[in-house]
Amino acid sequence: MRSSTELHCVSPSLSAGTGSLTLNISDGLTTTTSFEFVFVDAPSVENLHPRSGSVHGGSAVMVYGAGFEPNPACRFGDNRATTATLVSSTTIMCTSPMVEAPGSVWLSVSNGADE
């Protein structure tokens, strides 16, 4: 529980499709509420260009893959991209963040900016 009005739930790993989310609250009174919940396939990254940029950030990196949706988020290692713009369901443009030192990092993508 995050607050008296907000819960944080982690869904199990399931195949894409529609299911239901049922919430049972028991605090003297029992309340059961059901909601439709849609599971989607995770986005996948197949390629990116360019494959390097300045430690000062600001490099536009085109990420190519599948399953991209509105409000994408990109991470360069532990650092969130300055911007992430959906171009199409197969392309995202991410602006690299500033980093402390040169080196290689993994680029990851998620759907929904509130990752």
Side-chain angles (χ1 to χ4, degrees), residues 46-59:
E46 297 169 8
N47 202 355
L48 56 110
H49 181 79
R51 292 183 174 250
S52 63
S54 170
V55 295
H56 301 292
S59 298

Side-chain angles (χ1 to χ4, degrees), residues 48 50-53 58-63 73-84 93-99 104-109:
L48 56 110
R51 292 183 174 250
S52 63
S59 298
V61 179
M62 300 304 289
V63 181
C74 300
R75 288 194 171 277
F76 292 78
D78 292 332
N79 301 299
R80 193 170 187 152
T82 306
T83 61
M93 195 281 296
C94 301
T95 304
S96 66
M98 184 170 53
V99 295
S104 296
V105 296
W106 288 101
L107 180 126
S108 61
V109 173

Side-chain angles (χ1 to χ4, degrees), residues 1-113:
M1 183 193 278
R2 289 189 178 193
S3 71
S4 63
T5 60
E6 183 178 356
L7 292 173
H8 176 82
C9 302
V10 178
S11 70
S13 177
L14 297 173
S15 299
T18 302
S20 64
L21 171 68
T22 302
L23 176 62
N24 294 309
I25 301 173
S26 179
D27 61 354
L29 300 173
T30 300
T31 302
T32 301
T33 305
S34 294
F35 302 93
E36 181 177 274
F37 189 81
V38 179
F39 289 90
V40 295
D41 288 323
S44 63
V45 174
E46 297 169 8
N47 202 355
L48 56 110
H49 181 79
R51 292 183 174 250
S52 63
S54 170
V55 295
H56 301 292
S59 298
V61 179
M62 300 304 289
V63 181
Y64 304 99
F68 301 147
E69 295 184 358
N71 301 313
C74 300
R75 288 194 171 277
F76 292 78
D78 292 332
N79 301 299
R80 193 170 187 152
T82 306
T83 61
T85 305
L86 180 68
V87 177
S88 71
S89 65
T90 61
T91 307
I92 297 173
M93 195 281 296
C94 301
T95 304
S96 66
M98 184 170 53
V99 295
E100 292 183 20
S104 296
V105 296
W106 288 101
L107 180 126
S108 61
V109 173
S110 62
N111 287 324

